[in-house]
Amino acid sequence: MKYRKLGRTDFEVSEIGYGAWGIGASQWLGGNDKESLAALRRAIELGLNFIDTALAYGNGHSEQLVGQVVREAGRRIYVATKAPPKNLLWPAQPGIGIAEVFPYDYILRSTERSLKNLGVETIDLLQLHVWNPEWIGDDDWRRAFAELKSSGKVRAVGISINDHQPDSALEIIETGLIDTVQVIYNIFDQSPERNLFPLAIERGIGVIARVPLDEGSLAGTIDENTRFPAGDFRNEYFKGDRKKQVREHVESLRRDLEADANLPEVALRFCLSHPAVSTVIPGMRSLRNAEANCAVPDKGPLPAETLAVLRRHVWDRNFYD
Ligand SMILES: NC(=O)c1ccc[n+]([C@@H]2O[C@H](COP(=O)([O-])OP(=O)(O)OC[C@H]3O[C@@H](n4cnc5c(N)ncnc54)[C@H](OP(=O)(O)O)[C@@H]3O)[C@@H](O)[C@H]2O)c1
């Protein structure tokens, strides 16, 4: 494992972090707590020390599993969680004011629930689970962040940026009031490189790269025959002819890479090849995936020729719609 500084915080976080949405077991089905806990513990044994969870992941279930593992770990593990939008609307919708989504008292109450689920005194990083740049001048988030930091309930604060809208975070970074951003960054969506990453580097903002495998597309195993359990969010994400589209894009990507290239490894190394990225957080509910992913940092960044090839595989679309 290798470590990077999370922006201007003093956290030295592992290049591979743990994406804990799947282990919430409400929108991702087909796993189980025993296997999830084993994968998380194994990742920690292999040097992982950063976990991204959220109150919304299984209504506290993911936070509870994470808390259990962190308390028994015997060494410093950094936990990031998120306050869900009060109106439960993902992504944030234009025209809906902060009073409906993140009023001051609500952010504080939500943080208390997360502290309880995690069973810790302090949350390392609290993120707003959605962000709408129209709230930039509002007081609620500013006061809540200041209060949570000064009371010692959270160490650092940030936002999770709406899907495929990296530039919607530029203004809040400029305020100097957040420490991190979490953003979709993968071979298909390279858009954060344009404006967000240069600004994050300039301002010392930590970058958490999420959905590095495009919800599984970049693991290279999805085609028209892939089936997900009933009620699993991926039935929506990969609906209609999207599995076929994914297969075609992945086939084209594979044709351009070395014959023996390991696709999930290339996808994670792609994210780690950008200096703005502090940590990349794949979901990994199995021992096999945890072990494979934690070995990726040792391979180092991708060579420039491979990055040049990957530039040709940007795919502009929004499957969350
Ligand atoms: N709005 C937000 O703030 C937001 C939204 C989405 C995600 N996130 C965060 O980002 C994290 C990562 O995104 P994600 O979990 O949605 O998707 P992802 O990391 O892009 O993909 C996860 C999928 O890839 C599979 N996988 C992982 N490593 C693999 C490997 N080495 N080989 C083959 N398959 C592999 C996983 O398997 P398993 O099924 O076995 O685990 C899972 O099916 C989330 O867990 C969450 O913490 C935040």
Side-chain angles (χ1 to χ4, degrees):
M1 185 56 74
K2 290 186 184 150
Y3 301 85
R4 296 184 184 185
K5 207 154 155 308
L6 184 66
R8 62 191 178 194
T9 71
D10 61 1
F11 307 169
E12 289 283 336
V13 296
S14 47
E15 290 188 345
I16 298 289
Y18 193 97
W21 181 17
I23 68 171
S26 60
Q27 289 168 298
W28 287 72
L29 303 175
N32 64 68
D33 287 359
K34 194 163 168 247
E35 205 185 354
S36 300
L37 286 168
L40 184 47
R41 288 185 178 117
R42 182 71 183 127
I44 289 173
E45 261 171 37
L46 293 170
L48 178 144
N49 75 352
F50 180 82
I51 305 173
D52 177 69
T53 181
L55 181 56
Y57 298 165
N59 191 24
H61 187 63
S62 172
E63 288 184 328
Q64 286 162 7
L65 295 185
V66 168
Q68 184 182 333
V69 171
V70 166
R71 289 193 308 276
E72 75 189 20
R75 66 186 176 84
R76 185 78 168 89
I77 308 293
Y78 297 98
V79 177
T81 193
K82 312 186 193 80
K86 187 176 179 210
N87 61 358
L88 295 178
L89 268 185
W90 277 267
Q93 305 294 314
I96 300 189
I98 200 162
E100 281 182 48
V101 190
F102 285 126
Y104 168 79
D105 288 341
Y106 167 81
I107 299 175
L108 300 195
R109 278 201 312 278
S110 174
T111 307
E112 291 297 337
R113 286 185 61 198
S114 292
L115 283 164
K116 195 153 170 257
N117 286 329
L118 289 162
V120 297
E121 304 274 303
T122 307
I123 289 167
D124 294 304
L125 172 63
L126 179 80
Q127 306 156 97
L128 298 182
H129 208 149
V130 298
W131 175 251
N132 175 350
E134 293 165 11
W135 304 331
I136 194 76
D138 288 322
D139 223 28
D140 297 69
W141 65 271
R142 292 167 185 254
R143 275 172 53 225
F145 280 174
E147 168 59 26
L148 288 168
K149 274 189 163 181
S150 69
S151 65
K153 301 242 161 118
V154 313
R155 294 193 172 88
V157 293
I159 60 163
S160 189
I161 303 176
N162 282 356
D163 309 319
H164 309 299
Q165 297 174 18
D167 288 0
S168 66
L170 300 179
E171 264 185 291
I172 191 170
I173 289 177
E174 297 280 14
T175 66
L177 297 176
I178 59 167
D179 304 297
T180 64
V181 291
Q182 181 176 140
V183 65
I184 293 179
Y185 180 53
N186 57 43
I187 294 169
F188 292 147
D189 184 354
Q190 306 185 18
S191 61
E193 291 175 10
R194 247 184 331 264
N195 303 316
L196 182 70
F197 285 177
L199 186 64
I201 290 174
E202 189 188 313
R203 298 300 161 100
I205 297 294
V207 172
I208 300 160
R210 81 166 184 253
V211 197
L213 301 175
D214 184 37
E215 310 293 10
S217 309
L218 290 165
T221 49
I222 291 179
D223 64 20
E224 291 87 329
N225 299 316
T226 307
R227 295 283 171 271
F228 302 108
D232 189 298
F233 118 96
R234 288 168 293 180
N235 289 309
E236 191 57 29
Y237 191 80
F238 295 110
K239 69 187 173 196
D241 74 343
R242 290 174 176 183
K243 289 179 197 155
K244 176 169 177 281
Q245 294 180 44
V246 164
R247 179 182 52 74
E248 288 167 356
H249 277 264
V250 168
E251 277 173 4
S252 144
L253 176 56
R254 277 218 167 98
R255 276 195 298 275
D256 269 4
L257 291 169
E258 309 266 321
D260 61 347
N262 173 317
L263 195 53
E265 178 194 308
V266 171
L268 296 176
R269 286 175 75 196
F270 166 79
C271 297
L272 290 171
S273 297
H274 201 291
V277 170
S278 317
T279 182
V280 55
I281 53 165
M284 38 188 177
R285 298 176 294 170
S286 70
L287 275 182
R288 197 183 129 267
N289 289 346
E291 287 178 353
N293 296 346
C294 288
V296 167
D298 289 341
K299 319 237 173 197
L302 289 169
E305 316 80 76
T306 311
L307 288 172
V309 166
L310 298 181
R311 301 271 167 257
R312 300 203 294 268
H313 290 274
V314 167
W315 183 10
D316 188 14
R317 89 307 194 214
N318 187 357
F319 277 9
Y320 296 97
D321 272 353

